[in-house]
Amino acid sequence: MSQRMLASLIAQLTIVLGLLLAPPARAQHKVDLAQLIRETQQQSGEPRNLAFVWWIPVEFWEVSLTANGALTPQQIERFSKVVGAYFIVAAVDGTIGPMGGADFISEPDLRAKIKLVDSKGRSYVPIADEKISSDMRNLTQVMRPMFTNLMGPLGANIRFFMFPTRDAEGREIANPRAAGSFDVMLGERRFHWRLPLGSLVEAKVCPEDGEVLNGAWSYCPWHGTKLKAQGAPATEEKKSAAQPPKQEPVHQ
């Protein structure tokens, strides 16, 4: 298995999850589920390394279950309380051998090397299995065979880890709809998320040419101008930039 194969498998996982959880074609939903999945997944760019990390925020479950239509709003709310109690990370780590074979590290070894790091640099280790609710344990047991069927040996070695959602002061470690950041560490490998996630916030518009851009961005990457919300009126700053004030002549 190569890095290219890993990328292909992850792309397939995104497509399949999108098909399984997406709404019917006639329905319109604000959040692009496939984009949300892509934004919450990362993989190692190192040659011969198969590290893959998927942060699964409660918003993923809410969007996918609402789109699927299999549960009532009340059932989705109860489900969200179960998964929302944890900062969920799915991860796998392995290496590609000289003959193309893949070797994956065990769950205890992966648990020992994975940690969550908040924006202030504070680290969190996975919550012990015996302290996780039975409902949450049942959910991960259901998901494991699905990953195996979709991704073969790679999916069979994906492990689920639960971290606390709040720091010692009670503040939320990561809000996917608000500005912030966090890291997931696999040993020395760092997987960094900058928030908010573009799929969960309103798109913005470049005042220079009206192009609709990622709502997580503050400035247009091409013009350097501050982006504005869709439908917002042109700012005085923009008007002034378009029509600079007349300069008085300089007298010698």
Side-chain angles (χ1 to χ4, degrees), residues 99-111:
M99 303 301 293
D103 293 312
F104 299 96
I105 68 173
S106 66
E107 194 277 344
D109 289 341
L110 188 57
R111 177 178 290 271

Side-chain angles (χ1 to χ4, degrees), residues 27-225:
Q28 297 295 326
H29 289 269
K30 178 179 177 181
V31 177
D32 185 331
L33 181 58
Q35 181 186 350
L36 175 59
I37 294 171
R38 288 192 298 270
E39 288 181 324
T40 51
Q41 293 178 350
Q42 293 191 34
Q43 66 185 84
S44 171
E46 299 176 14
R48 314 192 77 80
N49 181 251
L50 296 175
F52 165 65
V53 175
W54 183 17
W55 168 42
I56 315 179
V58 66
E59 284 78 3
F60 163 78
W61 304 104
E62 292 172 345
V63 171
S64 60
L65 292 174
T66 300
N68 184 272
L71 301 180
T72 66
Q74 293 75 20
Q75 289 173 322
I76 294 174
E77 183 179 359
R78 290 196 294 269
F79 186 94
S80 297
K81 287 182 179 179
V82 172
V83 297
Y86 305 97
F87 190 111
I88 306 173
V89 175
V92 63
D93 193 6
T95 56
I96 304 169
M99 303 301 293
D103 293 312
F104 299 96
I105 68 173
S106 66
E107 194 277 344
D109 289 341
L110 188 57
R111 177 178 290 271
K113 70 188 300 186
I114 190 171
K115 63 181 178 180
L116 171 67
V117 181
D118 66 20
S119 60
K120 295 184 178 181
R122 294 175 293 194
S123 298
Y124 307 82
V125 298
I127 299 172
D129 280 343
E130 59 269 20
K131 295 184 178 180
I132 296 171
S133 70
S134 57
D135 284 336
M136 193 68 239
R137 290 199 300 269
N138 288 340
L139 176 61
T140 59
Q141 290 295 331
V142 170
M143 291 187 69
R144 283 172 182 165
M146 181 183 74
F147 276 80
T148 302
N149 292 335
L150 291 176
M151 306 174 74
L154 179 69
N157 285 278
I158 290 179
R159 312 299 181 188
F160 295 87
F161 300 99
M162 313 299 151
F163 295 90
T165 60
R166 297 183 179 274
D167 62 19
E169 289 76 36
R171 291 186 291 263
E172 195 171 20
I173 292 174
N175 182 342
R177 298 180 186 271
S181 65
F182 69 90
D183 298 307
V184 173
M185 304 294 297
L186 286 183
E188 297 300 318
R189 297 186 185 91
R190 173 175 175 262
F191 299 84
H192 180 70
W193 273 267
R194 190 181 299 278
L195 304 173
L197 299 178
S199 58
L200 296 177
V201 295
E202 291 282 356
K204 295 178 183 176
V205 176
C206 174
E208 290 290 335
D209 57 10
E211 183 177 359
V212 178
L213 298 172
N214 191 315
W217 299 349
S218 297
Y219 294 88
C220 175
W222 295 279
H223 300 102
T225 52

